[in-house]
Amino acid sequence: MAHRVPDLGALELLLAVARLGSLGAAAREVGITQPAASSRVRSMERQLGVALVDRSPRGSRLTDAGALVTDWARRVVEAAEAFDVGAQALRDRRDSRLRVAASMTIAEYLLPGWLLALRAQRPDTAVSLLAGNSTAVAERLLTGEADLGFVEGLTVPAGLDSAVVAHDRLIVVTAPGHPWARRRAPLSAAELSTTPLILREKGSGTRQVLDAALGGLARPLIELSSTTAVKAAAVGGAGPSVLSELVVREELAVRRLVAVPVADVSLSRDLRAVWPTGHRPTGPARDLLTLTRT
């Protein structure tokens, strides 16, 4: 049908000719030159197989066929305008809120700055943040409970596309009074993997990365469901832990925690934005994703 029906621009030009009685005036109204308007009218006439406009020194007048086509064109243009209004309403509804799901480290240490920057760009967008482990973030995206997610795990969960937004490093930390704080030699991977640690729950990105790097972990000394709780337990002297460099930067600076070197183990990781496969972020979600890269 598309090759048999003139496009909206041509129909709007025809309506302008009918209203103004001049091809030149119609061209100015729709923002094109008069030769371009003449060419567009001739193209419509060839497409439809009928003459639409009689041109004379006194102006332009619709033929009988042109008057009939103009009536049809008016309905098409009005329907297109209604379509555009409806589409804008959908965009406004989409842009009025943003639901973000993020794993704990990103939610607590990176997202606040990103969301403040987003608010400066989109003050009318209401943002809700759901914090949980990387597994929970994936579930919320796949069930439509979140528009954009951020995870810390080793791999991208199935059903999601991703983009790296930051890099991070895990650090073995302990309170200053722990024997490891006075070690001169780095820990071995075997020593770390067989020592009970204060850890996040299964499903957390930090635990996934650590488990993969060491090839397995001992039963946790304490298992907690938030990064802040893990850090507090380590600061309190409950035992050693492994936490993001982002999380412990301040505690290391004032020696509330001590970093313990580990030999021959890479504890670096990528932090990723994630979204359902094939559904690239739009609106506020797209803007937030852009802000993570600035």
Side-chain angles (χ1 to χ4, degrees):
M1 179 181 292
H3 68 281
R4 300 195 305 271
V5 178
D7 62 42
L8 283 173
L11 297 179
E12 287 174 332
L13 174 63
L14 186 62
L15 291 174
V17 171
R19 186 172 63 257
L20 300 173
S22 164
L23 190 60
R28 288 191 295 274
E29 181 173 285
V30 300
I32 60 176
T33 65
Q34 183 165 341
S38 297
S39 176
R40 188 169 293 183
V41 169
R42 288 194 297 271
S43 178
M44 272 193 292
E45 290 175 331
R46 287 194 301 271
Q47 189 175 22
L48 296 174
V50 294
L52 301 174
V53 178
D54 282 334
R55 304 161 187 82
S56 73
R58 296 186 300 275
S60 300
R61 183 183 63 82
L62 297 179
T63 65
D64 290 343
L68 185 58
V69 170
T70 299
D71 284 340
W72 298 337
R74 186 172 293 108
R75 296 177 217 168
V76 172
V77 170
E78 288 173 351
E81 290 171 347
F83 182 95
D84 183 52
V85 169
Q88 184 60 53
L90 288 176
R91 289 191 292 270
D92 290 343
R93 186 171 70 180
R94 176 204 65 192
D95 294 352
S96 68
R97 67 170 187 175
L98 173 61
R99 301 166 301 165
V100 181
S103 51
M104 299 300 297
T105 300
I106 298 174
E108 294 176 351
Y109 294 92
L110 291 176
L111 261 173
W114 295 339
L115 293 179
L116 281 174
L118 180 68
R119 182 169 180 78
Q121 289 187 7
R122 290 181 171 269
D124 297 328
T125 298
V127 180
S128 61
L129 173 59
L130 302 167
N133 62 38
S134 295
T135 300
V137 170
E139 290 173 355
R140 287 186 172 120
L141 286 167
L142 294 172
T143 57
E145 297 175 61
D147 305 305
L148 184 65
F150 295 92
V151 297
E152 308 157 15
L154 197 61
T155 59
V156 179
L160 301 180
D161 287 338
S162 72
V164 174
V165 297
H167 303 284
D168 188 25
R169 184 167 64 99
L170 300 181
I171 299 176
V172 179
V173 293
T174 186
H178 191 278
W180 282 4
R182 297 184 293 275
R183 286 180 63 106
R184 296 194 177 184
L187 288 169
S188 68
E191 192 172 4
L192 184 60
S193 68
T194 56
T195 299
L197 303 170
I198 305 168
L199 294 175
R200 286 282 308 282
E201 78 286 359
K202 289 182 178 179
S204 79
T206 299
R207 185 158 170 176
Q208 290 173 9
V209 171
L210 183 60
D211 194 3
L214 298 177
L217 294 169
R219 178 177 294 183
L221 177 66
I222 307 173
E223 190 174 79
L224 298 168
S225 60
S226 89
T227 301
T228 300
V230 171
K231 180 170 67 173
V235 169
S241 185
V242 179
L243 288 165
S244 162
E245 186 175 27
L246 295 168
V247 172
V248 297
R249 188 173 292 158
E250 182 178 335
E251 285 73 18
L252 293 174
V254 298
R255 285 194 60 80
R256 295 177 67 201
L257 288 172
V258 176
V260 183
V262 183
D264 303 323
V265 177
S266 174
L267 294 178
S268 298
R269 62 178 178 175
D270 294 328
L271 307 182
R272 295 181 174 88
V274 288
W275 57 89
T277 298
H279 298 277
R280 186 79 181 176
T282 59
R286 177 198 58 221
D287 292 348
L288 178 58
L289 180 57
T290 301
L291 285 168
T292 65
R293 299 172 177 181
T294 59

Short mmCIF file of all heavy atoms in Angstrom, two decimals, residues 147-189:
data_model
loop_
_atom_site.label_atom_id
_atom_site.label_comp_id
_atom_site.label_asym_id
_atom_site.label_seq_id
_atom_site.Cartn_x
_atom_site.Cartn_y
_atom_site.Cartn_z
N ASP A 147 13.69 -1.14 34.62
CA ASP A 147 13.98 -0.67 33.27
C ASP A 147 15.46 -0.79 32.92
O ASP A 147 15.81 -0.90 31.75
CB ASP A 147 13.55 0.80 33.13
CG ASP A 147 12.10 1.01 33.51
OD1 ASP A 147 11.24 0.33 32.93
OD2 ASP A 147 11.82 1.85 34.39
N LEU A 148 16.31 -0.72 33.93
CA LEU A 148 17.75 -0.80 33.71
C LEU A 148 18.38 -1.39 34.96
O LEU A 148 17.92 -1.12 36.07
CB LEU A 148 18.33 0.59 33.44
CG LEU A 148 19.83 0.69 33.11
CD1 LEU A 148 20.12 0.00 31.77
CD2 LEU A 148 20.28 2.15 33.04
N GLY A 149 19.41 -2.22 34.77
CA GLY A 149 20.06 -2.84 35.92
C GLY A 149 21.57 -2.66 35.89
O GLY A 149 22.15 -2.31 34.85
N PHE A 150 22.19 -2.90 37.04
CA PHE A 150 23.65 -2.84 37.16
C PHE A 150 24.10 -4.03 37.99
O PHE A 150 23.54 -4.28 39.07
CB PHE A 150 24.09 -1.53 37.83
CG PHE A 150 23.78 -0.30 37.02
CD1 PHE A 150 22.58 0.37 37.20
CD2 PHE A 150 24.67 0.16 36.08
CE1 PHE A 150 22.28 1.50 36.46
CE2 PHE A 150 24.38 1.28 35.31
CZ PHE A 150 23.18 1.96 35.51
N VAL A 151 25.10 -4.76 37.49
CA VAL A 151 25.56 -5.97 38.16
C VAL A 151 27.07 -5.99 38.26
O VAL A 151 27.78 -5.30 37.51
CB VAL A 151 25.07 -7.24 37.43
CG1 VAL A 151 23.54 -7.34 37.44
CG2 VAL A 151 25.59 -7.28 36.00
N GLU A 152 27.56 -6.82 39.19
CA GLU A 152 28.99 -6.91 39.47
C GLU A 152 29.55 -8.30 39.20
O GLU A 152 30.70 -8.57 39.47
CB GLU A 152 29.24 -6.57 40.95
CG GLU A 152 28.63 -5.27 41.40
CD GLU A 152 28.39 -5.23 42.89
OE1 GLU A 152 28.94 -6.08 43.62
OE2 GLU A 152 27.64 -4.34 43.34
N GLY A 153 28.73 -9.20 38.70
CA GLY A 153 29.14 -10.59 38.56
C GLY A 153 30.17 -10.80 37.48
O GLY A 153 30.51 -9.91 36.70
N LEU A 154 30.64 -12.04 37.43
CA LEU A 154 31.70 -12.40 36.48
C LEU A 154 31.18 -12.46 35.05
O LEU A 154 31.89 -12.16 34.09
CB LEU A 154 32.30 -13.75 36.89
CG LEU A 154 33.65 -14.13 36.30
CD1 LEU A 154 34.71 -13.13 36.71
CD2 LEU A 154 34.03 -15.53 36.73
N THR A 155 29.92 -12.86 34.88
CA THR A 155 29.34 -13.03 33.56
C THR A 155 28.02 -12.27 33.47
O THR A 155 27.44 -11.87 34.48
CB THR A 155 29.07 -14.51 33.25
OG1 THR A 155 28.18 -15.05 34.25
CG2 THR A 155 30.37 -15.31 33.27
N VAL A 156 27.54 -12.09 32.25
CA VAL A 156 26.25 -11.43 32.03
C VAL A 156 25.15 -12.49 32.18
O VAL A 156 25.20 -13.53 31.52
CB VAL A 156 26.19 -10.80 30.63
CG1 VAL A 156 24.84 -10.15 30.39
CG2 VAL A 156 27.31 -9.80 30.47
N PRO A 157 24.16 -12.27 33.03
CA PRO A 157 23.08 -13.25 33.19
C PRO A 157 22.38 -13.54 31.87
O PRO A 157 22.28 -12.66 31.00
CB PRO A 157 22.14 -12.58 34.19
CG PRO A 157 23.01 -11.62 34.95
CD PRO A 157 24.01 -11.13 33.95
N ALA A 158 21.90 -14.75 31.71
CA ALA A 158 21.21 -15.15 30.48
C ALA A 158 20.00 -14.26 30.24
O ALA A 158 19.29 -13.89 31.16
CB ALA A 158 20.77 -16.62 30.59
N GLY A 159 19.78 -13.92 28.98
CA GLY A 159 18.63 -13.12 28.61
C GLY A 159 18.87 -11.62 28.68
O GLY A 159 17.95 -10.84 28.43
N LEU A 160 20.11 -11.22 28.99
CA LEU A 160 20.41 -9.80 29.13
C LEU A 160 21.55 -9.38 28.20
O LEU A 160 22.48 -10.15 27.96
CB LEU A 160 20.79 -9.47 30.57
CG LEU A 160 19.77 -9.77 31.67
CD1 LEU A 160 20.33 -9.38 33.03
CD2 LEU A 160 18.45 -9.06 31.40
N ASP A 161 21.47 -8.16 27.70
CA ASP A 161 22.59 -7.51 27.03
C ASP A 161 23.26 -6.60 28.04
O ASP A 161 22.67 -6.25 29.07
CB ASP A 161 22.10 -6.69 25.83
CG ASP A 161 21.68 -7.56 24.66
OD1 ASP A 161 22.13 -8.72 24.60
OD2 ASP A 161 20.89 -7.08 23.83
N SER A 162 24.49 -6.19 27.74
CA SER A 162 25.22 -5.42 28.74
C SER A 162 26.20 -4.45 28.11
O SER A 162 26.54 -4.55 26.93
CB SER A 162 25.98 -6.36 29.68
OG SER A 162 27.10 -6.93 29.01
N ALA A 163 26.67 -3.52 28.94
CA ALA A 163 27.76 -2.61 28.59
C ALA A 163 28.58 -2.37 29.84
O ALA A 163 28.02 -2.17 30.93
CB ALA A 163 27.21 -1.30 28.06
N VAL A 164 29.90 -2.43 29.72
CA VAL A 164 30.77 -2.17 30.86
C VAL A 164 30.73 -0.67 31.18
O VAL A 164 30.92 0.16 30.29
CB VAL A 164 32.21 -2.62 30.57
CG1 VAL A 164 33.14 -2.21 31.70
CG2 VAL A 164 32.26 -4.13 30.36
N VAL A 165 30.47 -0.34 32.45
CA VAL A 165 30.38 1.08 32.84
C VAL A 165 31.49 1.48 33.80
O VAL A 165 31.72 2.68 34.02
CB VAL A 165 29.00 1.39 33.48
CG1 VAL A 165 27.89 1.17 32.47
CG2 VAL A 165 28.76 0.56 34.74
N ALA A 166 32.16 0.51 34.41
CA ALA A 166 33.26 0.84 35.34
C ALA A 166 34.08 -0.42 35.59
O ALA A 166 33.67 -1.54 35.25
CB ALA A 166 32.71 1.38 36.66
N HIS A 167 35.24 -0.23 36.18
CA HIS A 167 36.11 -1.34 36.56
C HIS A 167 36.33 -1.28 38.07
O HIS A 167 36.33 -0.21 38.69
CB HIS A 167 37.44 -1.27 35.82
CG HIS A 167 37.27 -1.26 34.33
ND1 HIS A 167 36.97 -2.39 33.60
CD2 HIS A 167 37.36 -0.24 33.43
CE1 HIS A 167 36.88 -2.08 32.32
NE2 HIS A 167 37.11 -0.78 32.20
N ASP A 168 36.54 -2.44 38.66
CA ASP A 168 36.64 -2.51 40.12
C ASP A 168 37.67 -3.59 40.48
O ASP A 168 38.02 -4.45 39.66
CB ASP A 168 35.27 -2.85 40.71
CG ASP A 168 35.23 -2.75 42.21
OD1 ASP A 168 36.04 -2.00 42.79
OD2 ASP A 168 34.40 -3.44 42.83
N ARG A 169 38.13 -3.54 41.71
CA ARG A 169 39.08 -4.53 42.20
C ARG A 169 38.64 -4.96 43.59
O ARG A 169 38.27 -4.13 44.43
CB ARG A 169 40.48 -3.93 42.24
CG ARG A 169 41.56 -4.91 42.66
CD ARG A 169 42.93 -4.29 42.36
NE ARG A 169 43.18 -3.09 43.14
CZ ARG A 169 43.92 -3.06 44.26
NH1 ARG A 169 44.45 -4.19 44.73
NH2 ARG A 169 44.12 -1.95 44.90
N LEU A 170 38.66 -6.27 43.83
CA LEU A 170 38.35 -6.79 45.16
C LEU A 170 39.62 -6.83 46.00
O LEU A 170 40.70 -7.13 45.49
CB LEU A 170 37.75 -8.19 45.05
CG LEU A 170 36.44 -8.30 44.27
CD1 LEU A 170 35.94 -9.74 44.26
CD2 LEU A 170 35.38 -7.37 44.84
N ILE A 171 39.48 -6.53 47.28
CA ILE A 171 40.62 -6.46 48.19
C ILE A 171 40.32 -7.31 49.43
O ILE A 171 39.21 -7.24 49.98
CB ILE A 171 40.89 -5.01 48.62
CG1 ILE A 171 41.21 -4.14 47.41
CG2 ILE A 171 42.02 -4.93 49.63
CD1 ILE A 171 41.39 -2.67 47.76
N VAL A 172 41.30 -8.10 49.84
CA VAL A 172 41.19 -8.82 51.11
C VAL A 172 41.46 -7.81 52.22
O VAL A 172 42.49 -7.11 52.21
CB VAL A 172 42.19 -9.98 51.18
CG1 VAL A 172 42.08 -10.70 52.53
CG2 VAL A 172 41.97 -10.95 50.02
N VAL A 173 40.55 -7.71 53.17
CA VAL A 173 40.70 -6.73 54.26
C VAL A 173 40.45 -7.40 55.60
O VAL A 173 39.74 -8.41 55.70
CB VAL A 173 39.73 -5.55 54.08
CG1 VAL A 173 40.08 -4.72 52.86
CG2 VAL A 173 38.28 -6.02 54.02
N THR A 174 41.05 -6.81 56.61
CA THR A 174 40.84 -7.29 57.97
C THR A 174 41.06 -6.12 58.93
O THR A 174 41.66 -5.10 58.57
CB THR A 174 41.79 -8.45 58.29
OG1 THR A 174 41.47 -9.00 59.56
CG2 THR A 174 43.23 -7.98 58.30
N ALA A 175 40.56 -6.26 60.14
CA ALA A 175 40.80 -5.24 61.16
C ALA A 175 42.28 -5.22 61.53
O ALA A 175 42.98 -6.24 61.39
CB ALA A 175 39.93 -5.54 62.39
N PRO A 176 42.80 -4.09 62.00
CA PRO A 176 44.24 -4.00 62.33
C PRO A 176 44.71 -5.02 63.35
O PRO A 176 45.90 -5.39 63.35
CB PRO A 176 44.37 -2.57 62.87
CG PRO A 176 43.24 -1.82 62.26
CD PRO A 176 42.11 -2.80 62.15
N GLY A 177 43.84 -5.51 64.21
CA GLY A 177 44.26 -6.47 65.23
C GLY A 177 44.34 -7.91 64.75
O GLY A 177 44.80 -8.80 65.48
N HIS A 178 43.90 -8.20 63.54
CA HIS A 178 43.92 -9.57 63.02
C HIS A 178 45.35 -9.96 62.64
O HIS A 178 46.13 -9.13 62.16
CB HIS A 178 43.00 -9.68 61.80
CG HIS A 178 42.74 -11.08 61.35
ND1 HIS A 178 43.62 -11.76 60.54
CD2 HIS A 178 41.71 -11.91 61.61
CE1 HIS A 178 43.13 -12.97 60.29
NE2 HIS A 178 41.96 -13.08 60.94
N PRO A 179 45.74 -11.23 62.83
CA PRO A 179 47.10 -11.66 62.47
C PRO A 179 47.49 -11.36 61.03
O PRO A 179 48.66 -11.07 60.74
CB PRO A 179 47.07 -13.17 62.75
CG PRO A 179 46.02 -13.33 63.80
CD PRO A 179 44.97 -12.30 63.49
N TRP A 180 46.54 -11.42 60.10
CA TRP A 180 46.87 -11.14 58.70
C TRP A 180 47.35 -9.71 58.51
O TRP A 180 48.08 -9.42 57.56
CB TRP A 180 45.65 -11.40 57.82
CG TRP A 180 45.41 -12.85 57.53
CD1 TRP A 180 46.11 -13.91 58.03
CD2 TRP A 180 44.41 -13.38 56.66
NE1 TRP A 180 45.59 -15.09 57.53
CE2 TRP A 180 44.55 -14.80 56.69
CE3 TRP A 180 43.40 -12.84 55.88
CZ2 TRP A 180 43.72 -15.64 55.97
CZ3 TRP A 180 42.58 -13.67 55.16
CH2 TRP A 180 42.73 -15.07 55.20
N ALA A 181 46.92 -8.79 59.37
CA ALA A 181 47.32 -7.39 59.22
C ALA A 181 48.81 -7.20 59.45
O ALA A 181 49.39 -6.18 59.03
CB ALA A 181 46.52 -6.52 60.19
N ARG A 182 49.46 -8.17 60.09
CA ARG A 182 50.89 -8.05 60.39
C ARG A 182 51.74 -8.96 59.51
O ARG A 182 52.95 -9.07 59.70
CB ARG A 182 51.14 -8.39 61.88
CG ARG A 182 50.43 -7.43 62.83
CD ARG A 182 50.76 -7.72 64.28
NE ARG A 182 50.21 -9.00 64.73
CZ ARG A 182 48.97 -9.15 65.18
NH1 ARG A 182 48.15 -8.11 65.25
NH2 ARG A 182 48.53 -10.34 65.57
N ARG A 183 51.12 -9.59 58.54
CA ARG A 183 51.87 -10.49 57.64
C ARG A 183 52.86 -9.71 56.80
O ARG A 183 52.58 -8.58 56.37
CB ARG A 183 50.90 -11.22 56.69
CG ARG A 183 50.08 -12.31 57.33
CD ARG A 183 49.20 -12.93 56.25
NE ARG A 183 49.98 -13.57 55.21
CZ ARG A 183 50.12 -14.89 55.07
NH1 ARG A 183 49.51 -15.71 55.92
NH2 ARG A 183 50.84 -15.39 54.10
N ARG A 184 53.97 -10.33 56.51
CA ARG A 184 54.94 -9.73 55.60
C ARG A 184 54.84 -10.35 54.20
O ARG A 184 55.09 -9.67 53.20
CB ARG A 184 56.36 -9.91 56.14
CG ARG A 184 56.56 -9.18 57.46
CD ARG A 184 58.02 -9.07 57.83
NE ARG A 184 58.22 -8.31 59.05
CZ ARG A 184 59.40 -8.00 59.54
NH1 ARG A 184 60.51 -8.38 58.90
NH2 ARG A 184 59.50 -7.31 60.65
N ALA A 185 54.48 -11.61 54.17
CA ALA A 185 54.35 -12.29 52.87
C ALA A 185 52.88 -12.24 52.43
O ALA A 185 51.97 -12.32 53.25
CB ALA A 185 54.81 -13.74 52.99
N PRO A 186 52.63 -12.14 51.11
CA PRO A 186 51.25 -12.16 50.63
C PRO A 186 50.58 -13.49 50.94
O PRO A 186 51.23 -14.52 51.07
CB PRO A 186 51.40 -11.97 49.11
CG PRO A 186 52.76 -11.40 48.92
CD PRO A 186 53.61 -11.95 50.04
N LEU A 187 49.27 -13.46 51.03
CA LEU A 187 48.49 -14.69 51.15
C LEU A 187 48.61 -15.48 49.85
O LEU A 187 48.70 -14.91 48.77
CB LEU A 187 47.01 -14.37 51.38
CG LEU A 187 46.58 -13.81 52.72
CD1 LEU A 187 45.14 -13.33 52.63
CD2 LEU A 187 46.71 -14.88 53.81
N SER A 188 48.57 -16.78 49.97
CA SER A 188 48.46 -17.61 48.77
C SER A 188 46.98 -17.80 48.44
O SER A 188 46.11 -17.65 49.30
CB SER A 188 49.12 -18.97 48.99
OG SER A 188 48.36 -19.71 49.95
N ALA A 189 46.71 -18.14 47.18
CA ALA A 189 45.33 -18.41 46.79
C ALA A 189 44.76 -19.56 47.60
O ALA A 189 43.58 -19.53 48.01
CB ALA A 189 45.27 -18.72 45.30
#
